[in-house]
């Protein structure tokens, strides 16, 4: 499934209406690499900016994890990719929870 023009981009992402590969690799992997880099940069600028950036990255991660899960549920290709994506969502969710303990 590809973007539905009636919904906003974040809603398309959350509903899993963006293809699995784009959701997983672009928003999941690449997006979180960029988010991690920004956290490192903002950490050097002070605690308040770091807290704001960590909060934004956590919200982004949760939205992306929901999107990957839903996109995997909508995936019509080989089921192994959908299963692996959902396994990685579980690990990603646990990783996001771990950020609250820091």
């Amino acid at each position: 499934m590809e973007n539905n023009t009636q919904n906003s981009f974040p809603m398309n992402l959350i509903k899993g209406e963006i293809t699995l590969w784009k959701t997983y690799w672009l928003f999941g992997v690449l997006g979180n690499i960029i988010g991690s880099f920004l956290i490192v940069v903002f950490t050097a600028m002070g605690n308040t900016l770091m807290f704001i950036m960590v909060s934004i990255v956590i919200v982004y991660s949760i939205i992306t994890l929901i999107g990957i899960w839903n996109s995997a549920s909508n995936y019509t290709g080989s089921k192994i990719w959908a299963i692996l994506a959902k396994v990685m969502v579980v690990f990603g969710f646990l990783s996001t929870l771990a950020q609250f303990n820091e």
Side-chain angles (χ1 to χ4, degrees):
M1 291 186 180
E2 202 56 47
N3 293 356
N4 180 347
T5 56
Q6 295 176 349
N7 292 321
S8 66
F9 174 77
M11 287 309 299
N12 287 331
L13 181 63
I14 290 170
K15 289 180 176 181
E17 295 176 350
I18 299 174
T19 58
L20 180 58
W21 78 267
K22 285 181 185 177
T23 305
Y24 184 85
W25 288 106
L26 297 180
F27 301 107
V29 175
L30 185 60
N32 281 303
I33 289 171
I34 293 169
S36 296
F37 173 76
L38 290 174
I39 288 172
V40 170
V41 169
F42 279 78
T43 298
M45 296 181 185
N47 288 337
T48 303
L49 290 174
M50 188 227 19
F51 175 76
I52 292 168
M53 184 51 60
V54 168
S55 299
I56 290 169
V57 169
I58 288 172
V59 169
Y60 174 83
S61 295
I62 291 169
I63 289 170
T64 303
L65 291 171
I66 292 168
I68 293 169
W69 186 276
N70 290 333
S71 184
S73 295
N74 295 334
Y75 186 66
T76 58
S78 176
K79 288 296 177 192
I80 189 68
W81 298 118
I83 292 167
L84 288 173
K86 286 185 174 186
V87 168
M88 294 309 294
V89 165
V90 171
F91 287 132
F93 179 73
L94 293 174
S95 174
T96 300
L97 285 179
Q99 290 182 17
F100 286 108
N101 291 328
E102 293 181 2

